[in-house]
Amino acid sequence: MTTTTSKISTISPFQQRSLDAVWHPCTQMKQHETFPLVPIVRGKGVWLYDADDNGYLDAIGSWWVNLFGHTHPVINAAIKDQLDKIEHVMLAGFTHEPVIALSERLKAITPGNLGHCFYASDGASATEIALKMSFHYWQLAGKSDKTHFVSLQNDYHGETLGALSVTDVAIFKKTYAPLLRPCTHVMTPDWRYANEGQSAESHALRAAAALEEHLAEHHAKTAALIIEPLIQGAMGMGMYHPVYLKRAREICDRYQVHLIADEIAVGFGRTGTMFACEQAKITPDFLCLAKGLSGGYLPLSVVLTTDTVYQGFYHDQSAHAFLHSHTHTGNALACRAALAVLDIFEQDNILETNQVKAKYLNDAATGLLSHPKVVNFRNCGMIWAFEVETKDLQFSHKFFQAGLKQRLLLRPLGNTVYFMPPYIITEEEIDLLVNGTLHILNTL
């Protein structure tokens, strides 16, 4: 039997148990010989607490999922109430009130005429569903050549094989390339790639022209374009002008190509509007949602699509159906958590309150904006990001460790530092976040 050893001199039994039994995600486990795991035992509001009761401000929303803080009383109460009714029942041949109510409310608040929610448990699974639905729709419609997909340079859509095929992040994709389907990645509208003197809007239009050039030649074999609207997350929170979404919708319509909007990370108010697509006044053919959907409580994702797509599968023959399933599709507890999330949005006027908080953080962050190590400081809704000029290959690890000493949970993407805090963050906590980050920059 192989056992895990550690070079950390003060490792606790709690940490050692995890090293011996758990394979942690997106992690080179050997690094935990130097960088110890943080043993979290409880959470409250924006704070996480370790085994020694040290508090850490969750400035990244626990990997972008937590909207309203930890152990929120409204969400807690909804889940506890549902526990006394039904925790889960298969959704094939059965239904229940939470999944019906959630689907009705999502249909009412998402852009345009989207509806008929298809549920899964995570973002990558939602991507897989949308890709399969698009491909299958065109097969049923008699356009069997439409088997290819297009995504943006630097886009990230998940790490299952279909989702990874349309992802353009080498560290995740390179090893598995022989397993993946080919995908074309067209120019990113991310304004960090703009030519000198070019505006964000002009660069977005240039990128849209590159998309149109590709689809003009390849539309007959293209099923869908999949994009992260407004913000490309995993490649360092790349932000772009909404005009790209508008033009992409027009181009996809012109060439009969589906538009898949992956709002897994940016939905539910992260970009300032409930959904990023609203800022371009467009409706995608497929909308993928996850992460904040359940407020970070329980695994839940969903794909909404148009009635045109839905009707394409509506048929007397079972073989004509979309025969895709997940064991916990439409889990009742997760749906109740999501319904509570939507209640909080409505009752607490979250989008309006977030505008005030975003302005406060931007005003507080003037020291970051002018810092000599900082470039490309940017903000969209309740997401902030900037690059730190450094050649240190261990920068992200060192910044993370330095953040813990400042009572901050920060996990840079390479040399990109970003903030994606829960919406309940207070002005005092914003000051702590900004001042702590400045301290790290000045001392690291």
Side-chain angles (χ1 to χ4, degrees):
M1 182 177 70
T2 302
T3 58
T4 303
T5 59
S6 174
K7 297 180 181 178
I8 304 169
S9 59
T10 58
I11 189 169
S12 70
F14 192 102
Q15 293 165 316
Q16 189 64 59
R17 286 171 58 204
S18 193
L19 291 174
D20 289 344
V22 181
W23 197 336
H24 292 264
C26 200
T27 298
Q28 172 48 262
M29 292 297 292
K30 196 173 191 301
Q31 291 175 351
H32 285 307
E33 293 180 355
T34 306
F35 298 102
L37 293 162
V38 182
I40 297 301
V41 297
R42 67 185 180 92
K44 186 67 175 176
V46 301
W47 294 93
L48 294 165
Y49 295 90
D50 67 16
D52 296 319
D53 212 35
N54 298 308
Y56 307 101
L57 196 159
D58 189 356
I60 63 169
S62 289
W63 248 351
W64 318 350
V65 301
N66 193 290
L67 300 185
F68 300 120
H70 301 279
T71 61
H72 192 286
V74 173
I75 306 175
N76 283 8
I79 294 173
K80 290 175 182 177
D81 177 70
Q82 187 60 40
L83 275 171
D84 289 328
K85 298 174 181 176
I86 179 67
E87 78 298 330
H88 178 69
V89 61
M90 62 184 290
L91 208 60
F94 296 85
T95 193
H96 53 78
E97 177 60 26
V99 77
I100 297 170
L102 180 59
S103 302
E104 290 171 341
R105 290 180 70 176
L106 289 174
K107 181 176 180 179
I109 65 173
T110 49
N113 60 343
L114 297 173
H116 284 102
C117 299
F118 200 105
Y119 290 92
S121 58
D122 58 86
S125 296
T127 299
E128 298 282 349
I129 289 166
L131 295 174
K132 287 179 67 176
M133 276 186 179
S134 175
F135 165 86
H136 198 167
Y137 173 86
W138 292 120
Q139 302 303 300
L140 296 174
K143 297 189 176 183
S144 58
D145 288 341
K146 282 183 167 288
T147 62
H148 293 258
F149 296 96
V150 177
S151 71
L152 297 181
Q153 169 196 358
N154 296 341
D155 250 7
Y156 174 88
H157 300 287
E159 293 165 47
T160 51
L161 294 181
L164 200 56
S165 294
V166 294
T167 287
D168 185 37
V169 184
I171 194 170
F172 299 122
K173 188 171 185 175
K174 184 177 179 181
T175 299
Y176 308 104
L179 302 178
L180 307 179
R181 287 183 55 81
C183 174
T184 301
H185 306 293
V186 294
M187 180 191 297
T188 175
D190 177 356
W191 60 255
R192 292 177 298 175
Y193 292 82
N195 294 330
E196 186 175 354
Q198 189 175 42
S199 69
E201 183 175 7
S202 295
H203 177 67
L205 289 170
R206 184 163 68 98
L211 169 65
E212 181 159 26
E213 181 179 359
H214 175 79
L215 289 184
E217 183 176 354
H218 301 287
H219 63 91
K221 294 185 177 182
T222 303
L225 165 69
I226 181 170
I227 56 176
E228 295 176 273
L230 297 187
I231 301 177
Q232 295 179 279
M235 283 300 283
M237 301 298 166
M239 301 182 184
Y240 60 89
H241 196 282
V243 72
Y244 185 86
L245 297 178
K246 184 176 186 297
R247 290 288 296 119
R249 177 71 277 180
E250 294 168 351
I251 293 165
C252 287
D253 285 344
R254 181 175 305 125
Y255 293 106
Q256 289 190 297
V257 170
H258 286 146
L259 177 60
I260 303 172
D262 172 356
E263 294 218 23
I264 291 161
V266 300
F268 299 100
R270 284 296 186 190
T271 65
T273 47
M274 195 64 168
F275 302 102
C277 287
E278 294 176 42
Q279 297 188 34
K281 296 181 173 59
I282 67 160
T283 302
D285 298 291
F286 302 89
L287 178 64
C288 302
L289 303 172
K291 293 192 182 291
L293 173 60
S294 70
Y297 267 70
L298 291 164
L300 183 66
S301 63
V302 64
V303 178
L304 292 92
T305 190
T306 63
D307 194 57
T308 298
V309 171
Y310 177 78
Q311 290 296 329
F313 292 85
Y314 206 80
H315 198 273
D316 291 332
Q317 298 180 6
S318 294
H320 211 86
F322 185 60
L323 299 177
H324 180 102
S325 62
H326 291 266
T327 301
H328 286 92
T329 290
N331 175 265
L333 293 175
C335 288
R336 276 300 299 274
L339 286 165
V341 165
L342 297 183
D343 288 341
I344 296 169
F345 267 104
E346 292 179 5
Q347 295 166 9
D348 295 347
N349 298 315
I350 296 299
L351 296 179
E352 293 81 2
T353 302
N354 281 356
Q355 292 178 13
V356 177
K357 292 186 179 184
K359 182 180 185 306
Y360 185 90
L361 198 153
N362 282 325
D363 291 342
T366 54
L368 291 175
L369 184 63
S370 61
H371 197 281
K373 294 181 183 178
V374 170
V375 294
N376 298 330
F377 184 89
R378 55 198 180 275
N379 163 240
C380 181
M382 290 294 284
I383 302 176
W384 291 261
F386 58 87
E387 276 72 59
V388 177
E389 294 187 322
T390 178
K391 296 181 180 179
D392 187 350
L393 297 179
Q394 294 297 311
F395 169 79
S396 60
H397 289 294
K398 292 177 180 178
F399 201 98
F400 169 72
Q401 293 293 326
L404 295 179
K405 294 178 181 178
Q406 296 298 310
R407 304 171 63 206
L408 302 176
L409 169 52
L410 292 165
R411 187 183 169 96
L413 298 160
N415 70 324
T416 300
V417 178
Y418 70 92
F419 306 150
M420 200 183 290
Y423 301 158
I424 62 168
I425 191 169
T426 65
E427 291 183 356
E428 181 181 4
E429 290 162 343
I430 288 172
D431 290 338
L432 175 67
L433 171 58
V434 172
N435 292 334
T437 304
L438 279 168
H439 179 83
I440 300 167
L441 288 170
N442 289 332
T443 58
L444 191 62

